[in-house]
Amino acid sequence: MVYLNLAVLAGLFALSYASPPVKISVSAKGGNATNGHQYGFLHEDINNSGDGGLYAELIRNRAFQSSEHYPSTLDGWSAVNGAQLSLRDLDVPLSEALKTSLHVATNKRAGQVGFSNAGYWGMDVRVQKYTGSFWVRGAYKGEFTASLQSDITGETFGSVKIKSKCRRDEWTEHAVVLVPEKDAPNTNNTFAITFDAAGTADGSLDFNLISLFPPTYKGRKNGMRIDIVEALEQLHPTLFRLPGGNMLEGLSNTSWWDWKDSLGPLKDRPGFSGVWDYPQTHGLGLMEYLLFAEDLGMELVVGVFAGLALNGDITPEDELQPFIDDALDQIEFIRGPPDSKWGAVRAKLGHPEPFKLKFVEIGNEDWLAGGSEGWNTYREYRFPMFLEAINAAYPDIQVISSGSYFDGHDIPEPGAGDYHLYAEPDTLVEQFSRFDNVATPHIIGEVAATHPNGGTSWDGGLMPFPWWGGAVAEAVGLVSYERNQDRIIGTAYAPILRNINRWQWSVTMIQHSADPAQTTRSTSWYIWELFAAHIFTETLPATADFDPLYYVTGKSDQTGGYIFKGAVYNSTDGADVPVRLAFEGVKPGTSAELTVLTGPENPYGVNDPFTGTNVVETTRSTVKSGRDGVFRFDLPNMSVAVLDTSPKARWNRGMKPVS
Ligand SMILES: *[C@@H]1O[C@H](CO)[C@@H](O)[C@H](O)[C@H]1NC(C)=O
Ligand SMILES: *[C@@H]1O[C@H](CO)[C@@H](O)[C@H](O)[C@H]1NC(C)=O
Ligand SMILES: *[C@@H]1O[C@H](CO)[C@@H](O)[C@H](O)[C@H]1NC(C)=O
Ligand SMILES: *[C@@H]1O[C@H](CO)[C@@H](O)[C@H](O)[C@H]1NC(C)=O
Ligand SMILES: *[C@@H]1O[C@H](CO)[C@@H](O)[C@H](O)[C@H]1NC(C)=O
Ligand SMILES: *[C@@H]1O[C@H](CO)[C@@H](O)[C@H](O)[C@H]1NC(C)=O
């Protein structure tokens, strides 16, 4: 009955009540091979999404690190049982890199005293193995107690006694292995170390590098937080841009992200100013990032410092060579043979096999900092000097400029460009045709829907979370990039993580806190996951026009599947869009899996970590091609869909990206 009424109305008001079917005929030939690393992300330690996020360390401010821009502080630390805590730069520091340590003073009759750490706004405590260590200087006969307890009730969930190895004038390391007896009910917990004041010479001891890790992803030492990596891994990422954007540039030309400072034992890492108003540990260093990328099978896009800092410091031409040498060293560290100078350093750090590296980006957004001189110097000498030196040493590396053709930047051959887009949904949709047949290859190095339509304002106007309407527009963007896979090297969502206790940029793929229950996959996550789970090895040309259905078609030689990816954005009067899809060479009666993602009625619906609701609905069904070989299905307004004739061959861990 309803159907009949609609049909009658549709006849009368053809354009306003029902859309005509979109007829898509896909040819078997005439497409382009794809590169297999289309979907990925940028990570940078923006407001505790590295330290306190991806990096699993539980102790905040573990080594009292200072930097050019921030002094050492006692942030995160509290005294236990009346001890006095202060910072000292001893004549004999723990190391050159870690000069400041914690002085714990009391008197010999004070009993059990010490200090506790509040973690990155809490600690997840459960029955599992925690490992760590701390360094002590000073004489002490007795035992240390390391414990995890509630900050609210004081209840101890687990503790361990560690026999002192202390000597008067030496720094000695004490290992901690702690398995709590019970799970804590929430994350309002602290980690404490105490000692018996009576066993000390004068009631005081000095401590440094107090570190504690829960189990990490793949059990890697100094590794990543399991639940966060799992949320990333389940996105099937194949591209990873590191070590961030602004972070790479640094606040000034004396404090950029120096990869050499991020290698080796933690006690030799001085830390880093960062650019987000807090000192960083550099525990999440280059090697950790490389292992992480390897574990997840991601192609690397490594950014190298290019002589421009956020404050506008620009390296003059005659002072640039050391930075070029540094970039060449970094590339050698990553992919040089184990008997090369820097390859040997990597081998010594446990990875003799070279990592794979094909993409190196010179700087970050060199058109933004430094006014017009930023880009002028980049165009005149900075980019050309890096390009020439890197390609002379590594002809197979695709060097990427930090500017883009789409923003009017010239990119000398054989460089590629990098386009960044933080935008309203409508902008992503309006740019749909922008990438067709562009001559210069590009990465889309940062992209996200960030503002509501009509709402672009950079002082606080971001949406509070990724939202459904924005995510659908991202899908339209992804389709437009994937259609041009011969030219668009890959696409990175940015930024990927947000610590909801300490954020400064609200729209990220995944939200997190100390509590794994708050690790939240956003609306965008579901869309990127779906598209990345169905990788083409070849795009295939198709006939139909776009709007309101934006789509791309292709096939996978790895699975044998023919694949359609599409998004409906603002259909006529919000009606469903009937799709008639035929692939040349796909027989009548062929089964395909159709996955359709739909969102809430309100396009501003979000996945909020505080409520835990998921507004994205996933519907999977089997569609059979008719006697004419045509797959028939309807897609609702504001929906995203994938049809795949080899559903069983959906992404699996064993499936390697195409090279
Ligand atoms: C527990 O920790 C959370 C997150 O840091 C905080 O918002 C909350 O107020 C804490 N609860 C109590 C009772 O301290
Ligand atoms: C650092 O920046 C200052 C100020 O812009 C400049 O004078 C100096 O040459 C720069 N040095 C290097 C090595 O980049
Ligand atoms: C989509 O619809 C919304 C709401 O009706 C409107 O604000 C927006 O401009 C439309 N965008 C396009 C590209 O049609
Ligand atoms: C980001 O971190 C800095 C330093 O911890 C802090 O001052 C700032 O308030 C944070 N931003 C927000 C919005 O939390
Ligand atoms: C393949 O690439 C060429 C050149 O960029 C382009 O003209 C053509 O449209 C592409 N074909 C498909 C199916 O994307
Ligand atoms: C499609 O859905 C969006 C989001 O719900 C809505 O804003 C828009 O008005 C719909 N399009 C039309 C033309 O109804």
mmCIF file of all heavy atoms in Angstrom, residues 313-337:
data_model
loop_
_atom_site.group_PDB
_atom_site.id
_atom_site.type_symbol
_atom_site.label_atom_id
_atom_site.label_comp_id
_atom_site.label_asym_id
_atom_site.label_seq_id
_atom_site.Cartn_x
_atom_site.Cartn_y
_atom_site.Cartn_z
ATOM 1 N N ASP A 313 61.406 30.425 12.255
ATOM 2 C CA ASP A 313 62.856 30.259 12.026
ATOM 3 C C ASP A 313 63.059 29.560 10.687
ATOM 4 O O ASP A 313 62.447 28.511 10.439
ATOM 5 C CB ASP A 313 63.476 29.338 13.103
ATOM 6 C CG ASP A 313 63.747 30.070 14.409
ATOM 7 O OD1 ASP A 313 63.601 31.305 14.447
ATOM 8 O OD2 ASP A 313 64.089 29.381 15.397
ATOM 9 N N ILE A 314 63.909 30.128 9.873
ATOM 10 C CA ILE A 314 64.190 29.512 8.573
ATOM 11 C C ILE A 314 65.693 29.327 8.439
ATOM 12 O O ILE A 314 66.471 30.248 8.699
ATOM 13 C CB ILE A 314 63.670 30.396 7.423
ATOM 14 C CG1 ILE A 314 62.139 30.435 7.472
ATOM 15 C CG2 ILE A 314 64.162 29.870 6.073
ATOM 16 C CD1 ILE A 314 61.512 31.426 6.531
ATOM 17 N N THR A 315 66.094 28.135 8.048
ATOM 18 C CA THR A 315 67.519 27.873 7.882
ATOM 19 C C THR A 315 67.983 28.456 6.547
ATOM 20 O O THR A 315 67.427 28.119 5.506
ATOM 21 C CB THR A 315 67.785 26.361 7.913
ATOM 22 O OG1 THR A 315 67.205 25.836 9.116
ATOM 23 C CG2 THR A 315 69.269 26.059 7.897
ATOM 24 N N PRO A 316 69.009 29.324 6.600
ATOM 25 C CA PRO A 316 69.523 29.878 5.341
ATOM 26 C C PRO A 316 70.160 28.783 4.493
ATOM 27 O O PRO A 316 70.567 27.733 5.019
ATOM 28 C CB PRO A 316 70.583 30.882 5.795
ATOM 29 C CG PRO A 316 70.498 30.970 7.274
ATOM 30 C CD PRO A 316 69.717 29.816 7.780
ATOM 31 N N GLU A 317 70.257 29.080 3.209
ATOM 32 C CA GLU A 317 70.746 28.082 2.259
ATOM 33 C C GLU A 317 72.113 27.529 2.656
ATOM 34 O O GLU A 317 72.354 26.332 2.606
ATOM 35 C CB GLU A 317 70.812 28.722 0.862
ATOM 36 C CG GLU A 317 71.103 27.722 -0.224
ATOM 37 C CD GLU A 317 70.873 28.285 -1.619
ATOM 38 O OE1 GLU A 317 70.323 29.419 -1.728
ATOM 39 O OE2 GLU A 317 71.244 27.603 -2.586
ATOM 40 N N ASP A 318 72.998 28.425 3.108
ATOM 41 C CA ASP A 318 74.356 27.957 3.408
ATOM 42 C C ASP A 318 74.459 27.223 4.749
ATOM 43 O O ASP A 318 75.530 26.785 5.137
ATOM 44 C CB ASP A 318 75.362 29.119 3.324
ATOM 45 C CG ASP A 318 75.009 30.246 4.285
ATOM 46 O OD1 ASP A 318 74.009 30.092 5.033
ATOM 47 O OD2 ASP A 318 75.717 31.274 4.303
ATOM 48 N N GLU A 319 73.332 27.117 5.459
ATOM 49 C CA GLU A 319 73.364 26.333 6.707
ATOM 50 C C GLU A 319 72.489 25.082 6.617
ATOM 51 O O GLU A 319 72.281 24.384 7.609
ATOM 52 C CB GLU A 319 72.867 27.199 7.884
ATOM 53 C CG GLU A 319 73.833 28.287 8.306
ATOM 54 C CD GLU A 319 73.249 29.149 9.429
ATOM 55 O OE1 GLU A 319 72.728 28.589 10.419
ATOM 56 O OE2 GLU A 319 73.289 30.385 9.296
ATOM 57 N N LEU A 320 71.973 24.802 5.422
ATOM 58 C CA LEU A 320 70.996 23.716 5.303
ATOM 59 C C LEU A 320 71.620 22.321 5.238
ATOM 60 O O LEU A 320 71.000 21.338 5.635
ATOM 61 C CB LEU A 320 70.116 23.949 4.064
ATOM 62 C CG LEU A 320 68.813 23.141 3.998
ATOM 63 C CD1 LEU A 320 67.895 23.465 5.182
ATOM 64 C CD2 LEU A 320 68.071 23.408 2.685
ATOM 65 N N GLN A 321 72.852 22.244 4.751
ATOM 66 C CA GLN A 321 73.448 20.930 4.499
ATOM 67 C C GLN A 321 73.396 19.970 5.703
ATOM 68 O O GLN A 321 73.068 18.787 5.527
ATOM 69 C CB GLN A 321 74.889 21.078 3.980
ATOM 70 C CG GLN A 321 75.477 19.790 3.398
ATOM 71 C CD GLN A 321 74.642 19.210 2.251
ATOM 72 O OE1 GLN A 321 74.151 19.943 1.403
ATOM 73 N NE2 GLN A 321 74.464 17.879 2.248
ATOM 74 N N PRO A 322 73.680 20.438 6.920
ATOM 75 C CA PRO A 322 73.623 19.486 8.042
ATOM 76 C C PRO A 322 72.245 18.831 8.198
ATOM 77 O O PRO A 322 72.148 17.667 8.599
ATOM 78 C CB PRO A 322 73.932 20.358 9.267
ATOM 79 C CG PRO A 322 74.657 21.545 8.731
ATOM 80 C CD PRO A 322 74.164 21.759 7.331
ATOM 81 N N PHE A 323 71.200 19.566 7.844
ATOM 82 C CA PHE A 323 69.862 18.980 7.962
ATOM 83 C C PHE A 323 69.610 17.947 6.864
ATOM 84 O O PHE A 323 68.916 16.954 7.071
ATOM 85 C CB PHE A 323 68.795 20.082 7.938
ATOM 86 C CG PHE A 323 68.877 20.997 9.126
ATOM 87 C CD1 PHE A 323 69.379 22.280 9.012
ATOM 88 C CD2 PHE A 323 68.488 20.545 10.392
ATOM 89 C CE1 PHE A 323 69.471 23.114 10.120
ATOM 90 C CE2 PHE A 323 68.585 21.372 11.502
ATOM 91 C CZ PHE A 323 69.079 22.661 11.372
ATOM 92 N N ILE A 324 70.193 18.206 5.703
ATOM 93 C CA ILE A 324 70.071 17.220 4.615
ATOM 94 C C ILE A 324 70.844 15.956 4.993
ATOM 95 O O ILE A 324 70.355 14.844 4.846
ATOM 96 C CB ILE A 324 70.585 17.834 3.290
ATOM 97 C CG1 ILE A 324 69.657 18.992 2.907
ATOM 98 C CG2 ILE A 324 70.656 16.782 2.193
ATOM 99 C CD1 ILE A 324 70.150 19.823 1.753
ATOM 100 N N ASP A 325 72.033 16.155 5.542
ATOM 101 C CA ASP A 325 72.820 14.999 5.993
ATOM 102 C C ASP A 325 72.054 14.215 7.050
ATOM 103 O O ASP A 325 72.065 12.983 7.067
ATOM 104 C CB ASP A 325 74.165 15.462 6.579
ATOM 105 C CG ASP A 325 75.050 16.120 5.516
ATOM 106 O OD1 ASP A 325 74.791 15.917 4.316
ATOM 107 O OD2 ASP A 325 75.985 16.860 5.903
ATOM 108 N N ASP A 326 71.393 14.959 7.911
ATOM 109 C CA ASP A 326 70.634 14.318 8.976
ATOM 110 C C ASP A 326 69.493 13.474 8.397
ATOM 111 O O ASP A 326 69.221 12.369 8.860
ATOM 112 C CB ASP A 326 70.079 15.399 9.908
ATOM 113 C CG ASP A 326 69.546 14.808 11.187
ATOM 114 O OD1 ASP A 326 70.370 14.343 12.000
ATOM 115 O OD2 ASP A 326 68.313 14.772 11.356
ATOM 116 N N ALA A 327 68.846 14.002 7.368
ATOM 117 C CA ALA A 327 67.760 13.248 6.730
ATOM 118 C C ALA A 327 68.319 11.994 6.061
ATOM 119 O O ALA A 327 67.718 10.911 6.134
ATOM 120 C CB ALA A 327 67.037 14.121 5.710
ATOM 121 N N LEU A 328 69.480 12.130 5.426
ATOM 122 C CA LEU A 328 70.088 10.956 4.779
ATOM 123 C C LEU A 328 70.472 9.912 5.830
ATOM 124 O O LEU A 328 70.300 8.713 5.629
ATOM 125 C CB LEU A 328 71.312 11.375 3.953
ATOM 126 C CG LEU A 328 70.987 12.224 2.705
ATOM 127 C CD1 LEU A 328 72.262 12.795 2.088
ATOM 128 C CD2 LEU A 328 70.204 11.415 1.666
ATOM 129 N N ASP A 329 70.971 10.380 6.968
ATOM 130 C CA ASP A 329 71.277 9.455 8.072
ATOM 131 C C ASP A 329 70.006 8.738 8.528
ATOM 132 O O ASP A 329 70.007 7.537 8.809
ATOM 133 C CB ASP A 329 71.870 10.212 9.264
ATOM 134 C CG ASP A 329 73.291 10.708 9.006
ATOM 135 O OD1 ASP A 329 73.893 10.278 7.996
ATOM 136 O OD2 ASP A 329 73.780 11.531 9.810
ATOM 137 N N GLN A 330 68.944 9.503 8.619
ATOM 138 C CA GLN A 330 67.683 8.921 9.091
ATOM 139 C C GLN A 330 67.179 7.853 8.111
ATOM 140 O O GLN A 330 66.729 6.778 8.527
ATOM 141 C CB GLN A 330 66.634 10.025 9.266
ATOM 142 C CG GLN A 330 65.351 9.515 9.888
ATOM 143 C CD GLN A 330 64.355 10.637 10.180
ATOM 144 O OE1 GLN A 330 64.626 11.814 9.912
ATOM 145 N NE2 GLN A 330 63.213 10.267 10.731
ATOM 146 N N ILE A 331 67.281 8.160 6.841
ATOM 147 C CA ILE A 331 66.856 7.166 5.838
ATOM 148 C C ILE A 331 67.744 5.928 5.939
ATOM 149 O O ILE A 331 67.266 4.801 5.887
ATOM 150 C CB ILE A 331 66.898 7.782 4.419
ATOM 151 C CG1 ILE A 331 65.867 8.917 4.322
ATOM 152 C CG2 ILE A 331 66.624 6.720 3.355
ATOM 153 C CD1 ILE A 331 66.002 9.782 3.076
ATOM 154 N N GLU A 332 69.049 6.156 6.128
ATOM 155 C CA GLU A 332 69.955 5.009 6.266
ATOM 156 C C GLU A 332 69.623 4.208 7.522
ATOM 157 O O GLU A 332 69.667 2.980 7.518
ATOM 158 C CB GLU A 332 71.411 5.484 6.316
ATOM 159 C CG GLU A 332 72.402 4.333 6.302
ATOM 160 C CD GLU A 332 73.841 4.831 6.234
ATOM 161 O OE1 GLU A 332 74.300 5.124 5.119
ATOM 162 O OE2 GLU A 332 74.489 4.943 7.301
ATOM 163 N N PHE A 333 69.269 4.904 8.583
ATOM 164 C CA PHE A 333 68.874 4.205 9.801
ATOM 165 C C PHE A 333 67.668 3.307 9.521
ATOM 166 O O PHE A 333 67.591 2.175 9.988
ATOM 167 C CB PHE A 333 68.532 5.208 10.911
ATOM 168 C CG PHE A 333 68.012 4.548 12.164
ATOM 169 C CD1 PHE A 333 68.885 4.041 13.112
ATOM 170 C CD2 PHE A 333 66.648 4.396 12.383
ATOM 171 C CE1 PHE A 333 68.416 3.408 14.259
ATOM 172 C CE2 PHE A 333 66.166 3.760 13.520
ATOM 173 C CZ PHE A 333 67.060 3.270 14.458
ATOM 174 N N ILE A 334 66.724 3.814 8.747
ATOM 175 C CA ILE A 334 65.494 3.063 8.502
ATOM 176 C C ILE A 334 65.722 1.909 7.522
ATOM 177 O O ILE A 334 65.312 0.787 7.770
ATOM 178 C CB ILE A 334 64.375 4.001 7.990
ATOM 179 C CG1 ILE A 334 64.042 5.051 9.063
ATOM 180 C CG2 ILE A 334 63.120 3.212 7.623
ATOM 181 C CD1 ILE A 334 63.127 6.171 8.590
ATOM 182 N N ARG A 335 66.401 2.179 6.402
ATOM 183 C CA ARG A 335 66.455 1.134 5.371
ATOM 184 C C ARG A 335 67.848 0.772 4.891
ATOM 185 O O ARG A 335 68.001 0.006 3.933
ATOM 186 C CB ARG A 335 65.564 1.495 4.186
ATOM 187 C CG ARG A 335 65.869 2.839 3.557
ATOM 188 C CD ARG A 335 65.130 3.004 2.246
ATOM 189 N NE ARG A 335 65.929 2.519 1.132
ATOM 190 C CZ ARG A 335 65.562 2.641 -0.157
ATOM 191 N NH1 ARG A 335 64.403 3.178 -0.466
ATOM 192 N NH2 ARG A 335 66.342 2.194 -1.116
ATOM 193 N N GLY A 336 68.873 1.307 5.539
ATOM 194 C CA GLY A 336 70.233 0.976 5.119
ATOM 195 C C GLY A 336 70.592 -0.448 5.519
ATOM 196 O O GLY A 336 70.016 -1.017 6.447
ATOM 197 N N PRO A 337 71.559 -1.065 4.829
ATOM 198 C CA PRO A 337 72.001 -2.412 5.214
ATOM 199 C C PRO A 337 72.621 -2.390 6.613
ATOM 200 O O PRO A 337 73.104 -1.344 7.053
ATOM 201 C CB PRO A 337 73.038 -2.765 4.147
ATOM 202 C CG PRO A 337 73.429 -1.482 3.504
ATOM 203 C CD PRO A 337 72.297 -0.521 3.688
#
